[in-house]
Amino acid sequence: MEARLVRPQAGKPSTKIIAAKFEHGHLKKGMFKKLHYSYREMADRDSQSREATQKILTIPAKEKLSYVGHSNSKTEDSASKYYLGCLDTRTGKLTIHDAEMFHMKPTFEDSKKEELVFDTPLSFVQQNDRLNAAFGSTKKKRAVKAKQKFNELTGEAFNTSMDNAIGHAVTQSDVLDSPVAIPSSSETILPPYDRNADCPENVYTADAVITPQLLTALKSPAEKFFTRTQAQLAEWTDTKEYPWYILEQLKVMPSDDGRRWQKAKCLVYLQYLLTLYKYKPANFKKHNCLPAEWPEVVKKQLLSQFTTMSVGNKAQKATRYFPARLKDKLLLYILAVSLIIEHARLDPSLLVQDLAVADRRVSQFYRALGCAVATQKKKEQGEPLVVLKLPLKLPTESKPVTRRGGRKRNLKL
């Protein structure tokens, strides 16, 4: 039988035929007439063209298995055009028709999505991560795993981590006797003072700045200062056992027992403050960061008043910090204790040497306590450099102090 090719007449559209190609196998002979299918056309919202449509072919089969396919216009072969030839066995004519090709893939009826969802193409970063996970070096594989773990920390996992961190932070509040928090800008970092004092010596007192509880605990370590001898003082000076300011004050201890005990306790407390002021961040990483010979109640008070706690990592290990504002507060307490020791009139040159702080900055902090700082000319005339005078005048905020690196920071009281 001879076949002839018959093309559609010009201006007359040809009949479009639906063709399906199964991904797994093919239809058995004689099954085509028993096959049921549904054909749908939907507007493509992702396309800007009004005429763009998404065509879906669904073929149900046995055992809850069905096939769903999209037309070739949604694939990479959309630029190709398919034709199908129909041969009439009686006349021998082969008619060419437009064909709509569907690539059928299996799916299940109980699936949450009615339509088959094709995998979106991976981005360059995702492809690179998969290649590194499969064929990369040990270092790159670790980096990919760390990135995956970080991405997984979302949703419920993130909320769980936050709840654990908050719960741990709440339990840490019982570690110290007093609450640990960085003072806000509305809170003062000045030591306790009496604005209505009748004399400068009563503005800052040992009972207010150090508290009677700590003064009682300081009696045992202050005994070595109370009973010091000239031989011990000479030995401490040679070995530099204590700061220069404390060694200088030990030379002029009062003869009265009450005043002698008071000065010895203040000097011990000042030694503790000076030691804490010179601490570096690495010193606070130890569990017991302060010396073991210090009274326990004093250590707790110093840590709670001049440091703060924070949750550090996933293991929720508590980390102690020494922020700049609390360090300024510690410096103010050091200078206040020096005013108590020397009855509100002193030369702070040795104290400046022990602190390793610029003289200009120490003068600024003394002014914050209400003191008058004499000029270099008055110092040459024999007048004390720092004097606390009445009526007490406390500045609300000092002038900016230029720090190393060109930065400036105000002292907020």
Side-chain angles (χ1 to χ4, degrees):
M1 181 176 57
E2 183 181 356
R4 293 182 300 165
L5 180 63
V6 180
R7 300 179 181 275
Q9 297 179 3
K12 187 176 181 180
S14 62
T15 305
K16 184 170 288 189
I17 297 177
I18 297 175
K21 179 182 178 182
F22 290 87
E23 191 176 60
H24 304 283
H26 56 275
L27 290 176
K28 293 181 180 180
K29 190 175 182 180
M31 288 292 296
F32 181 75
K33 295 182 179 180
K34 299 180 181 180
L35 198 63
H36 299 280
Y37 66 91
S38 63
Y39 175 79
R40 291 178 294 166
E41 291 187 7
M42 297 184 299
D44 192 354
R45 297 180 179 179
D46 297 334
S47 177
Q48 298 179 356
S49 176
R50 296 182 179 179
E51 299 179 357
T53 58
Q54 184 179 6
K55 301 170 184 179
I56 302 172
L57 179 66
T58 305
I59 302 177
K62 296 181 179 180
E63 299 178 356
K64 297 183 179 181
L65 181 67
S66 60
Y67 286 81
V68 177
H70 291 263
S71 67
N72 61 292
S73 61
K74 300 297 292 181
T75 66
E76 295 178 356
D77 299 332
S78 58
S80 304
K81 191 172 183 179
Y82 289 86
Y83 295 94
L84 192 63
C86 297
L87 178 63
D88 190 341
T89 57
R90 291 185 297 104
T91 62
K93 293 181 180 181
L94 181 65
T95 308
I96 302 299
H97 298 276
D98 290 332
E100 190 78 29
M101 182 64 73
F102 288 85
H103 301 272
M104 310 304 296
K105 293 188 178 183
T107 185
F108 294 91
E109 292 181 359
D110 56 352
S111 177
K112 293 182 179 181
K113 295 186 178 180
E114 182 181 358
E115 303 172 3
L116 180 64
V117 179
F118 294 98
D119 294 336
T120 56
L122 297 176
S123 64
F124 174 79
V125 177
Q126 292 173 333
Q127 293 177 7
N128 191 43
D129 289 344
R130 288 193 177 186
L131 288 174
N132 287 331
F135 309 104
S137 61
T138 305
K139 184 178 180 180
K140 290 185 177 181
K141 288 181 179 180
R142 285 200 303 264
V144 172
K145 288 183 179 179
K147 183 179 180 180
Q148 292 175 349
K149 288 182 180 179
F150 177 79
N151 292 334
E152 290 174 359
L153 192 60
T154 56
E156 295 181 1
F158 178 77
N159 295 333
T160 302
S161 301
M162 289 299 297
D163 292 341
N164 293 339
I166 293 173
H168 181 75
V170 172
T171 57
Q172 288 297 325
S173 61
D174 298 332
V175 176
L176 303 173
D177 292 341
S178 57
V180 179
I182 301 176
S184 62
S185 58
S186 60
E187 297 177 354
T188 180
I189 60 174
L190 288 174
Y193 59 90
D194 184 7
R195 186 181 291 272
N196 300 321
D198 54 352
C199 61
E201 291 81 357
N202 293 335
V203 175
Y204 300 100
T205 61
D207 291 339
V209 176
I210 306 177
T211 73
Q213 181 184 8
L214 295 185
L215 289 172
T216 303
L218 291 170
K219 184 173 183 179
S220 179
E223 186 175 358
K224 57 185 176 182
F225 288 167
F226 181 84
T227 59
R228 68 107 182 93
T229 61
Q230 292 296 331
Q232 289 177 328
L233 184 58
E235 181 182 355
W236 291 342
T237 304
D238 293 338
T239 59
K240 300 179 181 179
E241 184 75 16
Y242 301 104
W244 292 111
Y245 180 81
I246 293 178
L247 293 173
E248 187 67 23
Q249 292 299 318
L250 287 174
K251 297 178 182 179
V252 286
M253 295 292 288
S255 57
D256 180 68
D257 287 350
R259 294 174 58 193
R260 191 182 184 91
W261 271 115
Q262 183 83 337
K263 186 172 183 178
K265 294 175 183 179
C266 290
L267 289 175
V268 171
Y269 188 69
L270 181 62
Q271 176 204 349
Y272 294 167
L273 295 180
L274 290 172
T275 302
L276 182 61
Y277 188 81
K278 294 184 178 180
Y279 264 35
K280 304 296 181 183
N283 298 117
F284 293 103
K285 293 182 179 181
K286 302 178 182 178
H287 180 64
N288 297 318
C289 55
L290 298 180
E293 62 271 14
W294 292 11
E296 194 66 28
V297 63
V298 177
K299 290 195 291 186
K300 287 184 176 181
Q301 187 269 345
L302 292 178
L303 292 177
S304 64
Q305 192 171 8
F306 302 111
T307 64
T308 182
M309 299 289 290
S310 175
V311 177
N313 47 34
K314 289 185 178 179
Q316 298 183 357
K317 181 181 178 181
T319 306
R320 190 173 298 279
Y321 293 98
F322 193 21
R325 183 164 173 80
L326 291 182
K327 193 169 185 178
D328 289 346
K329 180 180 180 180
L330 177 59
L331 181 55
L332 287 170
Y333 271 71
I334 291 174
L335 303 184
V337 174
S338 68
L339 290 173
I340 297 172
I341 293 173
E342 298 204 51
H343 308 290
R345 300 171 66 88
L346 73 153
D347 181 355
S349 55
L350 289 177
L351 192 58
V352 170
Q353 182 178 347
D354 294 330
L355 290 169
V357 180
D359 183 47
R360 182 179 178 182
R361 181 163 177 78
V362 173
S363 300
Q364 177 202 18
F365 275 73
Y366 269 119
R367 291 190 183 95
L369 293 173
C371 298
V373 180
T375 60
Q376 185 66 25
K377 183 178 180 180
K378 291 185 177 180
K379 178 185 177 182
E380 295 174 356
Q381 296 175 357
E383 296 186 14
L385 278 180
V386 177
V387 180
L388 183 61
K389 297 181 178 181
L390 294 180
L392 187 64
K393 296 180 180 180
L394 299 177
T396 56
E397 184 175 352
S398 62
K399 297 181 180 179
V401 177
T402 304
R403 307 188 73 188
R404 186 172 298 175
R407 294 179 299 168
K408 293 185 178 182
R409 180 163 61 89
N410 289 348
L411 175 60
K412 297 182 179 180
L413 307 176

